[in-house]
Every structure is written in structure tokens, then in C-alpha cells.
Amino acid sequence: MNIRPTQNANFDLVRSGLNLNLAKLITAQEQVSSGKKLLRPSDNPVAAATVLALQRQLGDVSRYSQAIDTARPLLEQGMSALNEASTIMTEARGLAVQGLNGTLNSADRQALAQNLRLLKSRLLEVANTKLGDHYIFGGTETKNMPFSEQAVNGQPRVLYNGDGASRAVAVGPGVDLAVNIPGTEAFGRLESSGVSFVGSSGAANGTSADAGTGYGYLTIRHDATSGTPGSGVALAGSGASDTLIGDRALTIDSAAGTVRLGSGTAVTIPAAGSAGIADVSVTDENGAVVHLDFTNYDGTDSSSTLSGSGSASIDGTNFTALDLSNGDMKLTDSNGTVLHVDARGIVKATTDLYSFGGAVNAFDEIQGMIDDLSNTSGLDSATMNARLSSRLGEFDRNFDNLQIALGTLGSRSQRMDSGKSQLDTLSINLQGLVSDNQDVDLASVVLDMNKAQQTLQVAQATGAKLLQNTLLNYLG
Amino acid sequence: MPNVGLNIGLKALLTAQTALDNVGHNISNASTPGYSRQHVLISADPAITIRGLAIGNGVSAQQILRTVDSLVQRRLVQQQGSISQLNQRLTGMSQVESLFAEPGDNGLNNLMQGFYTSLSSLSSSPDDLVQRTGAVQAAQSLTGRLNELTSSLSSARKDNASQVAAQISQVNTLTTQISKLNQQIAAFEGGGAPANDLRDQRDEALKSLSQLVNISNSEGPDGYVTVLTNGALLVGKTKAYMLNAKVAFDGTVTIKAGSSTKPVDVTGGSIGGLMHLSQSFVPDLLSRLNALAHSLIGASNHAHSTGLPSSGPFQSITGSMSVVDQNSNGDLGDELLSKAGLPFDVQNGALYVNMTDRSNSTFTSTRIDIDPAATTVRDLLTSLNAIPHLNAGLDSNGRLQITANNGYGFDFSSRINPHPDTEGTLGGGAASLGSAGSEPFSLANGDTLTLGGPAGTFNITLDQTQFGDITKAKASEVAAAINSDPATATSGMRAVAQDGHLFLQSLTTGSATSFSVNGGTALGAFGWSAGTTATGQDNAVGATLSGVYTGSTNTSYTLVPSMDGEIGTTPGLTMDVLDATGLRVASLDVGSGYQPGTPLALPSGLSISFGVGSISATNNDRLSIDALADSDTAHVLVALGVNSLFSGTDAADISVNQSILTDPRNLAASGTGATSDNTALRALMNTRDAPSAALGGVSTGEYYGNIVGGLGFEIDSTQNASQVEQTLLDSLQSTRDQTSGVNMDEELVNMLRFQQTYTAASRYITAVNSTNDDLMRMI
């Protein structure tokens, strides 16, 4: 191969060599000053595609991170509210147990009732906690107050206006956590178990299913007493203030001078002309009372049957006549409550407490205790204590549900915390990978730059020497 | 003696002079680009016979030739063309690459992530106005960047196209020059001597031309060069043909040669590079960005349109896409939905519209079936208007407008109806008798029904004009026929069609209301027998639905009592749950032991509870519940731009819906209408990773990653190719140089040689002259 060199070829060679070295120097310089070896996708397309994919994954991480950060205050607020509610409910229970103490008098009980009222309103405030513009216990209906006090059948009840929906937030791939607890779950979870009666009327559950929530009062009202006592004895006031329901035998024993209703206590017949002879109250074994007028008592024995008829109501306004042979009497009110009562065992007119088990919320339960302690209908202490202690079981159910709700929020908060720390670790790893692909190793690129600089200098020096050699240097 | 000597001397002088001139010429032009060194062809003159002796006659210069390897020259020209094209492409592509600004904070990748992150922050408190504003702003940054990128790319395309025009005029200058040189060379060489310098010039011009366009050239016998580009003649024997370029409005460039109408396809040279950039590279990027934006809009709007803003159901809404009068008959209503000029496709499916009564928050759901190949715009409007309290129409721009009457609101969500038994067909308060089977009912013209209503006995006669095909009567047709007879209402009854079954019901509720079926020829078709009675009840069972449907496809569940009984009382009473195919999937125990009001689990996340009341299998009580995963499977809301998040159709005009920009509270985050529900928002977030069929089964993020990755790869491989071609060019250049380049030392040596020859020749002349002088002195 005959290579014929020319000066032009030399010049071109030196020139292109210098350009090449200068370009390398500039690239190294660019990398040092920006700290990146991947300034544009064409610098390293594979790395660029990887970096974009990594950025998308980082996007995921930041998404979940942000979700956790915005959800946490809600959970914390919820937990602190439920904690306070828990304290309030513990206090309330303490007061209720105190109320069962037989040595308290009416004034003491009123004081307890007043304290309970204060506790109930505090609990209501807690249940209506707001974070910013929103009520945290309303489910997803958070604009309006979830719990409000209203009159139902003339009684104060707390009703729930929110819904039971959860607001779930994605805190990880495929991991959705609810950030709220609907008010019903915390303060009044529905776990219906049937109706129970507390009282002495003798009413019991009917055979058909009942519908409703909360508690109420079954009023058995005495309407009329029928029957002739005999021996010239009449019904005082035509039986208006009697409480007898059903048939009962009335025995007038002239020898003993007593009158007896059913198998109750025998009452001594007052002497003629004494005060109160016109209104003698005779009580049977169940506590049902009949008032008799002995003014025209002729002193003879008598055995008769007195019949008390009555009617029943669950709202205190609409009364249905009692059919004492009906084992499944249906009582309704205007709120959709349907109560079936077995009327066959009803023996006297009184007010019983009925309660839909598992369907009374915490506020109403406290209200019930307030009712019992303030005893506005003046029932005897045995009945009141029976009612008060029946409230405790339902109260404990609500308290347990509150703890469960608190625990749920707590475990969600923990999951979010652990999720967050996992995300932080993942973020660091991903950023490390991005940096591997994108960032320059400063030490090695500074070396590269020095190398390029040296090479350039050498190329310049040798080029200068090379180009100067021609024959012209030696011709005269 | 003839004076051969002096002549020889003279010729030697002249030849040496010529050679020296040549050396001078070479040295002067050593750096002239495209110069090929010239050498003098010196040969001895033929001998003259004098006195029987052949005496040499000296030297003369025959020709001055240039040393050129035409094969290398041609390859050099081609190579120049390749490299110019690659370099031009590289310049253009690098510009485009810098427009994308990836990987970087302002790149589209980051902005897309930022948008979804802001939605994620919003999901905890969907009603928070500050977070909403943040999300709307993030959306706007994303759409703004898409707009910007698209318009920058379009400008780049136009710039490249206009550069073509500028370079075409350069081409024309060069071809004119070549043609002129052709003439000059032909004229010069007609005199016999090669036109070396002119040929060098012509070669240089060809090289410059090939930098602009890909050419093939050949030299004819007369010394002229014909130049063609891709079959089109640029320089012919006698003249040059001008190229002209026309840039269309959309950026398409057409190049034509002379008066020919056939467009010239320029594939090489820098014009070839510019054509590639402006006709395929940038338009390809633009169309892919548009596909990305189109898919983003479609998927996002689909999730958003079935949601509700925090203010709850809508009072009035206007869509953003206009129906186009494709058949130009002035009537917009007769367009089929598939041919209405809508930018997004309507699919075969259904749309569910919910009407909420604001006074008591109850709502009813209506299903509208849509087949884009058969349903016209007018059909859709009619179906919408058939919904009570809803009015629909097209505004003056052909956009869908829907308004609800005062006191009512509408929405398109897939939420469940908490009180699904709107007609009281499952233990309702009214007396109810359902048909045993479902439609179609086999009836005949003139079939009768004799009914004993609460307010009187009456007779219904069915006429075939009330039916599409009376032998295959639909429940809705039968119900309409019965209700259209005034005697029905007067007697206190009505007919209802539900789930393909026909129900006869009393108008009033309560245990005192009852009716009977007395007779009639139509009884058999409905499975009723004469004498059947139905009685109402005071307490309606009032089935209550709760929970969230977690299934992925739309389905329905039907509840059918297994026997007659009282909820919560009758032992062994159960409610069968049938799926959409009629298969029993669950059996709910609602007999004694069931506490009325307790939710019982249905498949896929739903629960249902029943109140106190009685249900009847004998009277064919049933209730069908829709469980929806997607309440707009027809995608008609997206197509008409109703309740959309993004407006626009592609990357150039995508933007956030004006009503949401004005008031971020219009962002539909809620899926149920409740203030803090975030179901619709989560559906929107899930579109990020959902594979899109239009994008080839990848998500939008991946698709974008592929665009940028592909760009990077193409540039990188072009750079590599360019380097390879440059190396090739350099080696060709050096080969050419070896043959045709001037070696200064060589020339200087030649200079010395011929200088000596000149000196020697002049000495010789002096010597010969002195012999003549001697001869003269002799005389």
C-alpha cells in the first residue's frame, strides 16, 4: 500500500485530533458542573428509560406518603376524641353504680342525675367533634352535625344524621385504610338481640318479630273496673284510681273484718263512720290496687270477682285496648316501632321499661339512667333499681364497642406508621437507583477531565511541532 | 546545419518554465478545497533524421493533467450526502429532545406524578377546598405543559419546513453554477486541452450540492455532467432545472422539479434530513402525544363523569362536546351516536341516571340502553326526557343540556339505592300480585283481565295496537296498557313493570286494602288463577341496602321469598338471592331468630336488612337490585363532555374544565353524593395505572416513558451512525488527498529540479549560441 502523505492531510489530522480532545474535555466539564452524567435521554437511552420508570415508582411512593400524611391528623383526632369519650363513659358508669346504692335518698339521686346530664352533653359534644369544616364522626356526611338531640314520643333521644360509609385512602399498593369511624360504630353499633321488659306489669314478649331501636316505656293504663263487690260495697270513684288488670277474686270476711283481693294482704275493714271508709284500698299479690267504698257495707261475707280492663301504649299518646287473651298484641308508634306484647300475663296498670337489646346507643342509655335517677313518675325504689341495673348491661356493650372503635383507629394508625417507614426506605432505595443512573461519580469524572486536558495539551504540543517541518525550513 | 540546437534549447527552457509554472500553481493552490494537483506531461519530441542519423528533438510539454481518482471522488460525494443528512437530523432531534426536558423536574413525567399525588392528598378530606385547589392547579400544570410541548413541537416542525425552502434556493444556485461550468468546460475542451481548474470547480460544486440533496451524477462524452436526484433531472446537457418547495398549512412540504407535477422525494443531504424531521419524525411525536392526551382525557373523564361534586346531585349541566350535523340536513337529532362527530367513541352499553328528590333524599335509578350503531341523538334525548322531573335537549351549539325540575337533582353515579324497593314489590304496604314468570308474555288480541279492585270490579281488554308484538308482550307494555284504562285508577289499582315481571297493586296501603283477580283470558299468561287475592299491610318490609359493591362488572341480584311468612317470626322463612343468570347464590335466613333491621350479607360487599312485615311467595313478591361497577358502560358522558374533568380532545387543546377552574368545588370527588365520600376520586386515581387499549395495552405513564425512551434511542443511534459515517468520510478524504493532494516537499523538490533544468538549458543555449558566433567569425 503506497501511502502518499500531504500537508493537508497532516493539517486535517491535527485539527480533528484537537477538536476531538476538546470535545471530550467539554463533556467532562459539563458533567462536573451539573453533577449529572445523564443530561438528556440521548446521553444514555437505556439509563434514561430506567430513570423515567424509577421516577414513576417514586411518584407512587410520594402518592402514598402524602396520603398517609393527610390521613394521620384525622386518625389522631378521632383517637383523642374517642379517648375522651371513653373517660366520660367510665365516669357515667361510676355514677350509675353509685345510684344503685340503697342508702341514697331522692335528693342524692337527683344530684347524680344532674351529673349524668352534664356527662351526656359532654359526650354529645365529643361525638360532634369537628376538624376544620368537617365533623369527623359523620361517616361521609360530614357537613352537618351527626348527632342531635330530638324529642321522640316526648322523650329526649339522640338521633344520628350521618351515614355508615367509610372514607378509604390508598396508603400502599392495594392497601386501602379507612380514615374515619362512622358515629354509629363508635357510639351506637346495632347488634339487635330482641326486646326485653323491666317492670311489674306482667307484660312479656309476643311471638311475632319486633321492629325498632332504643328504649321506651310501655304504659299499661287502667280504664275501668267491673264487677260487684257484694255486701253493699261499691267501687270507690267507680274504679277510676284502681290499677287492677284482669280478674281477681275479692273476699270480704265479716268474721275477721277483713277484705282481701286475690291472695294479697288482708285489709281490716274500717269501722262505720270512720274517716276513709269511702276509700279503702286493697292490694293484691301483684301490687294491683282496688279502691272500695265501705260506706254501705252490710257486714256480710262476700266472694266476688272484680275485673280490671285497660289499654296499653308505647308512646304515651295512642292507647290500644288490652285483650288479655292475646298472646301477640301489636303496638305501634309514629316512628315505625312495632312491639308485640304477650298480654295474657298483665296483672296491673303501671309503666314498664322496654328496651331493644343491642339497639340502644350510648347517649340514650345515659338518658335512661337519668330517667331512672330523677324518677319523675315516682315509682318505688325497687322498680327504679331494677331498671337502673338493666341499663348497665347495654351500657357496657356500648362501652366495649367504643373501645373496639378506638382499637381499630389505633391499629390503622400503626399500620400507617409502619407503611410510612416502609415507604421512606423504599424512597431512599429508589432515589439511590436514580442517582446511580443519573448522577456522576465526581472523583472519576474529575480524573477524566484531567486526562482529557492532558491529552489535549500533548496533542497541541506535538501538532505544533509536526506542522512546522517542511523543506522550506532548509532552503535558502 | 539547421539550428536544431537552439530550438532544442528553447523547447527545454519553455518546458522547464511550464513545469515551474505548474509547480507554482500547485503550491499556490495547496490549500484550495477540492483542488487536485496538476502535473505536466513531458515527453521527448520525435527524432529528426539528419545525415542518416536520428537526432532527438528535445522535449515538449504535451498536456497538463490533473491527478484525480474519479471513483474516490464519486464516493466522497455520496458520503458527503449521507453525513449531511445525519448531522441535520441530529441537530433537529437534539432540539426536540431539549424541548421535552427529561429527565427533569419540569418534564411531563414529573408533572403527571405530581397530579396524581395531589389527588392522593385530597382523598383523605375530599371536601377540603385548599387541597382541591392544589389538585386543580396540578392538573392545570400538566395540561399547560402538554399544550406548550405540542406548540413547541409544531413550531419546530414549521421551522424545519421553512428551512427546506431556504436550502432549496441554495440548491438552485448550485445547479445553475454546475450547468454554467458544463458549458464552460465543453467550450474550453473543444479547443483540445482539458479544463482542469474548471473541472475542479465543478467537482466542488457537486460536493456542495450533495451536502444539500442526494444526487447521482454521470459524465457524458462531451464532458458535461448530468445530475439527478431520485430520478428527477437537476442538471441536463444544456440547462439546469429549478426545484421549488411548497409548504402546506399543516406543515407538509412538497418539492417539485421544474414544471413537472410529480413530487420529488428527497432522502439525502441536509434537505433530506429536514424532510425527515418535518414530515415524519416530529409529526410522529405529535401524534403520539396526541394519543397520550386523548387517552388521558377519555379515562379521566370516564371516572369523573360518574361522580358528584360536594354539593351533591346536579340541578343543571351542559356538555362540552357538540353534536355535528354529519348528513347536513339541518337536523342534529337524527345523527346516530356513532356518526355524530363526537371525538370519543360511544360504546355498546348502558347509562344509569339517578333522580334524587331533595325533600326526602330518596332517589330512583333509570337505565338507558345505548347502541351507537342504532341509537340516535334524538333517541337518547327521548329516553332522558322520559325520566320524571328531568328535561334534556341540545343547545344552540349542539351540546347536550340536562336540567332537573326544582326540588330534584340528578347524577350518574353507580351508588346503591339504600331503599331499592321503590315500587313495593317485596313485602310492600300496598296489596301486590306479581306475575309468576317474566316477559315475554304470550297474549292474544282481545285478551281480558277481570279484577276486583278496592273500589270496584273492572275489566281490562288488551288490544294488539298497544303492543309491538302482542304474542311477545313486554311487561312495560302490559303495564302501560292496564294503566291507560281509566277504570284501573278509578277502582283503586295500578300496574307496575319491574325486572320483566308484571305487578298488579292497589293504590292505597294498609291491611284493610285488598284486591282480587276474578277471571279473564289473560290470566294464564301471567300464571294467575281466578280467585287469587292480595292484601296490603300496615308495615312495609322496606328492604334496606347498605355497603359498597366491590365487584368489577355490572350485575344484579334478585330477592325472592322461599315461602309466605312474617319477617323475624315465621320459622324457616328464607329469602333466596339469585344472580343475573337466575342462579341461586345465597339464601338469607329471615325467619324466627332474625332480628328485623339486622344487615345480612349479599355477595360482593353488599348487605341488606328487612323490617317487620310479611312477604309472599304465593303472590310472587320479588325485588331486583342493580349492583353497578360502572354506571356508564356506553361512555356516552365522555363522548358528550358531560361532567368532565378535562376539556379538549388532544394534546394541543387539553385543559381543565372551565367550571372546575372557576370553582374547585365542582371537582367530582364523591361517588355517593355524601360530602366526604371519595369513591369517584379514587376511581380517577386508579386510571393512572390502568392499561389503555388505545395506547396498546400500557398505562399513560409507560406510554410516555416509551416516547422519551424511543427518542433517546433514536438520537443515540443517529449519533453513532454519524460518527461511523464521519470516520468513513475522513478516510475517503485522506485517500483522495493521497492521490490528489499537494505535497509541499514534493513540489519544492520539483521546483529545484526544473530550476536546475532551466539553468542547464540556458547554459546550453549560451553554448550553442557561442558555436554560432564561432561559425560567424569563421566567415
Side-chain angles (χ1 to χ4, degrees):
Chain A
M1 187 164 70
N2 259 348
I3 300 178
R4 181 178 160 274
T6 61
Q7 269 71 25
N8 266 349
N10 267 354
F11 283 128
D12 284 341
L13 200 67
V14 169
R15 190 184 50 216
S16 63
L18 287 176
N19 279 345
L20 204 68
N21 280 319
L22 190 59
K24 281 199 190 132
L25 187 60
I26 291 176
T27 312
Q29 173 66 26
E30 205 180 38
Q31 287 182 356
V32 165
S33 56
S34 68
K36 286 192 173 23
K37 61 188 178 197
L38 182 67
L39 288 154
R40 37 196 105 73
S42 54
D43 287 344
N44 184 346
V46 176
T50 311
V51 165
L52 282 184
L54 286 171
Q55 275 183 346
R56 280 202 297 282
Q57 279 184 293
L58 274 170
D60 265 344
V61 167
S62 89
R63 232 186 356 144
Y64 296 132
S65 243
Q66 278 275 48
I68 292 178
D69 286 342
T70 44
R72 250 207 285 239
L74 283 166
L75 283 179
E76 274 158 27
Q77 177 80 323
M79 288 201 300
S80 93
L82 289 183
N83 257 326
E84 211 191 315
S86 187
T87 316
I88 295 172
M89 283 185 79
T90 312
E91 244 188 88
R93 193 181 200 281
L95 290 176
V97 167
Q98 264 189 58
L100 284 174
N101 189 337
T103 61
L104 293 180
N105 63 21
S106 161
D108 295 334
R109 290 215 175 85
Q110 292 296 340
L112 287 177
Q114 186 54 26
N115 276 338
L116 277 174
R117 272 193 203 93
L118 292 173
L119 284 178
K120 178 183 162 186
S121 66
R122 264 178 61 197
L123 190 64
L124 199 55
E125 263 174 40
V126 168
N128 284 330
T129 309
K130 250 179 139 170
L131 184 62
D133 265 347
H134 298 102
Y135 294 94
I136 62 176
F137 291 116
T140 56
E141 288 288 4
T142 55
K143 237 197 190 66
N144 305 311
M145 206 155 71
F147 290 99
S148 57
E149 193 149 37
Q150 287 169 38
V152 173
N153 294 342
Q155 310 262 352
R157 295 283 178 268
V158 169
L159 297 179
Y160 182 63
N161 302 321
D163 62 22
S166 314
R167 193 155 70 250
V169 159
V171 297
V175 178
D176 287 345
L177 283 183
V179 300
N180 68 329
I181 288 268
T184 39
E185 243 185 80
F187 298 104
R189 181 185 288 221
L190 201 65
E191 293 163 317
S192 298
S193 54
V195 175
S196 59
F197 295 94
V198 177
S200 53
S201 73
N205 293 74
T207 48
S208 296
D210 305 314
T213 56
Y215 72 92
Y217 296 103
L218 173 68
T219 313
I220 308 288
R221 183 186 64 185
H222 173 263
D223 292 334
T225 316
S226 61
T228 323
S231 306
V233 180
L235 298 166
S238 307
S241 34
D242 294 350
T243 58
L244 174 69
I245 301 283
D247 297 340
R248 212 72 78 248
L250 184 71
T251 318
I252 304 179
D253 187 341
S254 57
T258 57
V259 60
R260 206 163 172 222
L261 184 63
S263 45
T265 326
V267 172
T268 319
I269 303 169
S274 54
I277 194 168
D279 190 344
V280 179
S281 47
V282 191
T283 316
D284 77 351
E285 69 272 20
N286 298 319
V289 172
V290 160
H291 295 263
L292 299 171
D293 182 352
F294 274 87
T295 323
N296 299 322
Y297 178 44
D298 61 11
T300 55
D301 287 345
S302 152
S303 263
S304 55
T305 311
L306 293 181
S307 282
S309 65
S311 36
S313 165
I314 54 173
D315 59 6
T317 323
N318 303 307
F319 282 84
T320 314
L322 283 173
D323 172 1
L324 295 173
S325 61
N326 190 349
D328 197 33
M329 183 175 155
K330 182 167 159 182
L331 297 168
T332 58
D333 72 358
S334 53
N335 299 310
T337 312
V338 174
L339 194 64
H340 288 94
V341 175
D342 182 355
R344 295 170 296 189
I346 299 184
V347 288
K348 75 175 193 187
T350 181
T351 308
D352 280 357
L353 164 68
Y354 73 85
S355 184
F356 281 92
V360 186
N361 65 39
F363 311 97
D364 289 350
E365 209 56 67
I366 297 179
Q367 182 58 43
M369 293 174 186
I370 296 171
D371 288 351
D372 298 341
L373 288 170
S374 40
N375 198 2
T376 43
S377 28
L379 295 174
D380 62 271
S381 59
T383 319
M384 296 323 280
N385 275 5
R387 284 188 181 179
L388 197 55
S389 46
S390 80
R391 310 268 187 201
L392 286 175
E394 194 59 21
F395 185 86
D396 286 342
R397 181 192 74 89
N398 275 314
F399 186 76
D400 289 342
N401 283 334
L402 184 69
Q403 301 308 310
I404 291 174
L406 188 55
T408 310
L409 283 182
S411 74
R412 282 185 200 155
S413 182
Q414 267 185 357
R415 277 186 75 185
M416 284 207 186
D417 283 343
S418 79
K420 185 81 202 284
S421 67
Q422 273 181 358
L423 285 172
D424 285 342
T425 315
L426 186 60
S427 168
I428 290 174
N429 286 343
L430 286 172
Q431 279 176 356
L433 286 173
V434 170
S435 174
D436 282 347
N437 279 299
Q438 199 177 42
D439 293 341
V440 85
D441 175 8
L442 215 54
S444 79
V445 89
V446 167
L447 278 178
D448 279 344
M449 202 173 82
N450 279 337
K451 204 163 69 169
Q453 200 167 24
Q454 266 190 349
T455 315
L456 181 65
Q457 283 172 347
V458 168
Q460 285 167 335
T462 52
K465 277 273 170 351
L466 185 66
L467 294 176
Q468 284 175 31
N469 283 337
T470 65
L471 211 50
L472 288 165
N473 296 345
Y474 301 101
L475 291 176
Chain B
M1 195 155 31
N3 242 335
V4 185
L6 275 179
N7 215 19
I8 292 176
L10 182 65
K11 283 197 277 187
L13 280 181
L14 290 173
T15 308
Q17 186 126 51
T18 311
L20 279 174
D21 286 343
N22 188 51
V23 166
H25 186 65
N26 276 346
I27 290 178
S28 324
N29 283 301
S31 305
T32 307
Y35 178 76
S36 1
R37 71 187 163 98
Q38 297 174 2
H39 64 273
V40 187
L41 208 61
I42 299 176
S43 62
D45 278 347
I48 314 174
T49 315
I50 304 180
R51 300 182 297 272
L53 294 166
I55 304 185
N57 209 2
V59 72
S60 53
Q62 301 300 324
Q63 283 273 28
I64 303 185
L65 297 170
R66 48 178 205 146
T67 322
V68 70
D69 182 346
S70 52
L71 184 63
V72 171
Q73 186 66 26
R74 187 175 310 190
R75 284 185 60 197
L76 206 57
V77 162
Q78 301 288 6
Q79 193 60 25
Q80 197 67 51
S82 309
I83 235 213
S84 295
Q85 203 231 91
L86 287 171
N87 284 343
Q88 182 67 57
R89 277 202 207 187
L90 214 51
T91 313
M93 291 200 273
S94 301
Q95 267 179 6
V96 164
E97 187 184 44
S98 64
L99 287 175
F100 275 85
E102 296 279 10
D105 291 334
N106 265 339
L108 216 53
N109 204 28
N110 239 20
L111 290 175
M112 276 202 277
Q113 302 320 312
F115 170 54
Y116 290 105
T117 304
S118 69
L119 289 181
S120 203
S121 311
L122 182 59
S123 62
S124 294
S125 307
D127 200 37
D128 186 327
L129 194 56
V130 170
Q131 298 275 23
R132 273 178 180 243
T133 313
V136 171
Q137 278 174 353
Q140 225 184 347
S141 304
L142 177 62
T143 59
R145 185 86 181 88
L146 269 169
N147 297 147
E148 224 179 76
L149 189 57
T150 311
S151 98
S152 305
L153 284 174
S154 294
S155 305
R157 182 187 193 201
K158 288 210 187 76
D159 282 346
N160 286 330
S162 55
Q163 269 189 294
V164 169
Q167 293 195 350
I168 289 279
S169 62
Q170 275 185 315
V171 167
N172 290 338
T173 313
L174 284 168
T175 52
T176 315
Q177 193 185 0
I178 292 174
S179 180
K180 208 160 77 171
L181 283 167
N182 268 350
Q183 310 308 321
Q184 288 174 336
I185 290 172
F188 191 90
E189 289 184 353
N196 291 324
D197 295 299
L198 288 174
R199 278 177 178 266
D200 275 349
Q201 276 182 37
R202 191 172 64 183
D203 283 344
E204 260 318 273
L206 281 170
K207 197 164 89 162
S208 303
L209 185 61
S210 87
Q211 282 176 348
L212 293 170
V213 287
N214 50 313
I215 54 170
S216 59
N217 56 315
S218 57
E219 184 163 335
D222 302 352
Y224 62 88
V225 150
T226 348
V227 182
L228 298 123
T229 172
N230 256 39
L233 191 63
L234 286 180
V235 178
K237 187 163 174 185
T238 47
K239 65 179 196 138
Y241 297 91
M242 300 293 108
L243 283 180
N244 55 68
K246 217 177 293 268
V247 183
F249 187 69
D250 62 355
T252 343
V253 177
T254 331
I255 301 176
K256 296 215 185 93
S259 52
S260 155
T261 49
K262 198 169 96 151
V264 177
D265 186 15
V266 177
T267 51
S270 58
I271 294 184
L274 286 170
M275 289 296 278
H276 172 81
L277 285 170
S278 66
Q279 308 307 303
S280 72
F281 180 73
V282 174
D284 185 57
L285 274 176
L286 277 171
S287 81
R288 285 164 83 186
L289 275 179
N290 283 337
L292 178 92
H294 193 85
S295 174
L296 178 68
I297 298 174
S300 304
N301 282 353
H302 182 67
H304 188 269
S305 58
T306 53
L308 294 100
S310 48
S311 49
F314 301 104
Q315 193 64 44
S316 159
I317 251 189
T318 308
S320 60
M321 306 292 184
S322 301
V323 172
V324 173
D325 187 6
Q326 300 273 52
N327 56 14
S328 307
N329 62 357
D331 179 11
L332 288 173
D334 67 348
E335 309 300 333
L336 282 178
L337 284 174
S338 59
K339 295 189 170 64
L342 296 170
F344 290 90
D345 287 338
V346 176
Q347 297 171 15
N348 208 338
L351 173 69
Y352 288 82
V353 183
N354 303 325
M355 284 303 298
T356 307
D357 181 342
R358 294 193 201 272
S359 62
N360 57 17
S361 303
T362 57
F363 76 90
T364 54
S365 180
T366 312
R367 176 187 158 138
I368 300 179
D369 286 308
I370 294 177
D371 177 2
T375 316
T376 64
V377 173
R378 182 156 295 122
D379 291 338
L380 178 64
L381 291 175
T382 311
S383 305
L384 286 169
N385 277 314
I387 300 174
H389 312 291
L390 193 66
N391 310 300
L394 294 176
D395 73 358
S396 54
N397 290 326
R399 299 186 292 213
L400 179 66
Q401 227 175 9
I402 309 181
T403 319
N405 293 349
N406 271 341
Y408 290 87
F410 66 92
D411 66 81
F412 308 100
S413 80
S414 57
R415 62 191 158 129
I416 51 162
N417 193 341
H419 304 287
D421 193 7
T422 46
E423 301 294 344
T425 55
L426 182 71
S432 173
L433 177 65
S435 60
S438 67
E439 65 188 12
F441 299 110
S442 164
L443 299 167
N445 190 19
D447 268 349
T448 55
L449 275 175
T450 313
L451 305 166
T457 315
F458 64 104
N459 211 347
I460 299 281
T461 311
L462 299 171
D463 187 305
Q464 67 188 4
T465 57
Q466 296 164 316
F467 298 84
D469 177 357
I470 198 170
T471 60
K472 297 191 179 79
K474 296 203 221 154
S476 49
E477 289 173 325
V478 181
I482 296 176
N483 286 332
S484 66
D485 189 332
T488 311
T490 321
S491 313
M493 287 188 60
R494 68 175 189 154
V496 168
Q498 281 276 57
D499 189 31
H501 287 246
L502 177 72
F503 291 85
L504 293 173
Q505 291 185 339
S506 59
L507 287 174
T508 52
T509 62
S511 49
T513 314
S514 72
F515 68 85
S516 61
V517 174
N518 297 341
T521 52
L523 283 189
F526 303 116
W528 297 328
S529 41
T532 314
T533 53
T535 315
Q537 53 183 328
D538 299 322
N539 283 87
V541 165
T544 309
L545 198 56
S546 57
V548 176
Y549 178 57
T550 55
S552 56
T553 50
N554 293 354
T555 185
S556 68
Y557 296 108
T558 310
L559 300 167
V560 180
S562 59
M563 52 198 258
D564 296 355
E566 301 269 334
I567 301 278
T569 308
T570 311
L573 178 66
T574 56
M575 189 80 77
D576 287 337
V577 180
L578 309 175
D579 70 5
T581 61
L583 192 68
R584 192 173 76 163
V585 292
S587 177
L588 305 173
D589 180 4
V590 292
S592 80
Y594 169 68
Q595 291 297 330
T598 311
L600 297 167
L602 286 174
S604 301
L606 295 174
S607 310
I608 193 154
S609 71
F610 304 97
V612 162
S614 57
I615 50 177
S616 171
T618 318
N619 281 0
N620 299 313
D621 279 359
R622 73 193 280 124
L623 177 65
S624 191
I625 299 169
D626 280 325
L628 301 177
D630 179 1
S631 49
D632 181 16
T633 49
H635 290 244
V636 68
L637 295 174
V638 176
L640 290 167
V642 174
N643 192 23
S644 45
L645 173 62
F646 293 115
S647 56
T649 56
D650 61 21
D653 61 6
I654 181 178
S655 82
V656 178
N657 196 345
Q658 188 57 39
S659 71
I660 295 178
L661 279 178
T662 323
D663 186 357
R665 284 176 297 201
N666 284 330
L667 180 70
S670 174
T672 61
T675 319
S676 290
D677 181 79
N678 64 5
T679 326
L681 194 64
R682 286 179 34 226
L684 183 61
M685 278 160 46
N686 286 340
T687 61
R688 187 190 92 125
D689 294 323
S692 159
L695 296 180
V698 297
S699 66
T700 40
E702 245 183 275
Y703 188 75
Y704 179 70
N706 290 345
I707 294 178
V708 174
L711 183 64
F713 274 111
E714 202 170 335
I715 295 179
D716 192 41
S717 73
T718 309
Q719 264 172 353
N720 289 341
S722 162
Q723 278 168 4
V724 166
E725 296 292 334
Q726 185 67 43
T727 314
L728 225 64
L729 181 72
D730 288 343
S731 104
L732 278 174
Q733 189 72 44
S734 109
T735 308
R736 181 195 180 271
D737 242 9
Q738 286 172 27
T739 322
S740 313
V742 172
N743 186 334
M744 206 59 85
D745 293 338
E746 199 179 273
E747 297 304 318
L748 290 172
V749 162
N750 279 345
M751 190 180 78
L752 286 173
R753 180 148 57 111
F754 288 114
Q755 196 175 17
Q756 279 188 347
T757 311
Y758 193 87
T759 314
S762 48
R763 279 240 130 254
Y764 169 76
I765 291 177
T766 315
V768 169
N769 205 27
S770 74
T771 61
N772 269 348
D773 278 346
D774 284 346
L775 192 63
M776 291 276 80
R777 230 173 281 121
M778 274 200 299
I779 296 174

